[in-house]
Amino acid sequence: NAGVTQTPKFRVLKTGQSMTLLCAQDMNHEYMYWYRQDPGMGLRLIHYSVGEGTTAKGEVPDGYNVSRLKKQNFLLGLESAAPSQTSVYFCASRPQGQPGNTIYFGEGSWLTVV
Amino acid sequence: ILNVEQSPQSLHVQEGDSTNFTCSFPSSNFYALHWYRWETAKSPEALFVMTLNGDEKKKGRISATLNTKEGYSYLYIKGSQPEDSATYLCAFSDTGFQKLVFGTGTRLLVSP
């Protein structure tokens, strides 16, 4: 049972390069999220999606774009990477509906922008 | 903007000590409060999800309480062990139930 899978796990980018992080979940969840984790900042929501074909901005969306073309995949793009985007990125998903539903996280993607 | 605060930021205790942390969240439009345990380089691990005022949950030596009217939740660890060392995160959902906003976490270190 794969759960939530993120790729790649590690990446080093040069300033100005672009890249895409892929999040895939096999639990048929409606909701998917991208967070970034920085020291002393906890998890901050970048973008989220409540269903296939829909996306919405979170707390820190600038510099990122997302797409949810298929229900199981949620892509996070960096069009022109900046050193401030050096972070650990976590994807999460959960089913729609009941407030008691658990959120499932991926294992994180470590991104360094030099 | 939903503001979720956790205190203390960090805590260092000795093995066997009992400890507790606080999560403060908006008291209006409450929907759910989650607690997670998070070790570096691993996915956050779900501990509890609480939805009703007065909820109390327990998992082994760890328990949590919820007060939605005043907007806080406590996480307790009884008889801390070195393996409890981790960052403990709380997360809040409002009635929109779409966003999940996390606090900055409490980093716990338990020394043998």
Side-chain angles (χ1 to χ4, degrees):
Chain A
N1 190 2
V4 179
T5 304
Q6 293 181 227
T7 52
K9 191 159 178 126
F10 301 97
R11 183 77 186 269
V12 178
L13 281 179
K14 293 183 179 178
T15 297
Q17 283 186 316
S18 63
M19 75 159 294
T20 301
L21 294 173
L22 169 63
C23 177
Q25 52 95 2
D26 61 1
M27 297 171 283
N28 202 36
H29 287 170
E30 293 291 336
Y31 294 170
M32 296 186 75
Y33 306 84
W34 274 109
Y35 291 90
R36 60 177 289 173
Q37 190 273 324
D38 303 291
M41 304 290 283
L43 289 171
R44 292 184 292 168
L45 182 63
I46 305 171
H47 286 280
Y48 64 102
S49 168
V50 299
E52 182 179 316
T54 70
T55 63
K57 294 180 180 179
E59 304 167 76
V60 288
D62 294 341
Y64 304 95
N65 56 74
V66 286
S67 64
R68 184 103 181 264
L69 299 179
K70 293 183 179 180
K71 187 177 183 179
Q72 64 267 35
N73 295 337
F74 193 29
L75 279 63
L76 178 71
L78 286 72
E79 290 185 344
S80 180
S84 61
Q85 293 178 303
T86 294
S87 188
V88 184
Y89 292 85
F90 284 95
C91 176
S93 73
R94 66 177 177 180
Q96 188 180 18
Q98 297 304 311
N101 286 336
T102 297
I103 305 115
Y104 295 83
F105 283 88
E107 294 189 337
S109 295
W110 274 252
L111 176 65
T112 301
V113 183
V114 296
Chain B
I1 295 177
L2 300 175
N3 194 29
V4 180
E5 297 182 351
Q6 290 186 248
S7 62
Q9 281 192 334
S10 62
L11 199 54
H12 185 186
V13 301
Q14 297 298 310
E15 182 175 356
D17 288 348
S18 293
T19 187
N20 65 84
F21 326 130
T22 304
C23 174
S24 301
F25 52 85
S27 56
S28 58
N29 300 322
F30 176 85
Y31 203 61
L33 192 285
H34 302 246
W35 279 102
Y36 282 83
R37 179 178 182 277
W38 186 23
E39 291 182 69
T40 303
K42 295 185 179 179
S43 305
E45 171 197 352
L47 290 173
F48 306 113
V49 180
M50 294 183 288
T51 58
L52 297 175
N53 185 44
D55 258 357
E56 292 188 20
K57 301 267 183 170
K58 188 174 181 182
K59 187 176 183 179
R61 293 179 291 99
I62 304 176
S63 60
T65 61
L66 178 67
N67 183 323
T68 61
K69 293 185 179 179
E70 296 182 38
Y72 65 84
S73 175
Y74 293 139
L75 185 78
Y76 301 92
I77 302 179
K78 185 177 178 181
S80 302
Q81 300 297 308
E83 57 264 31
D84 294 330
S85 297
T87 296
Y88 291 83
L89 295 168
C90 69
F92 168 82
S93 283
D94 65 5
T95 48
F97 193 52
Q98 294 182 350
K99 291 184 186 178
L100 191 66
V101 180
F102 282 82
T104 53
T106 293
R107 181 181 289 184
L108 174 67
L109 178 62
V110 183
S111 296

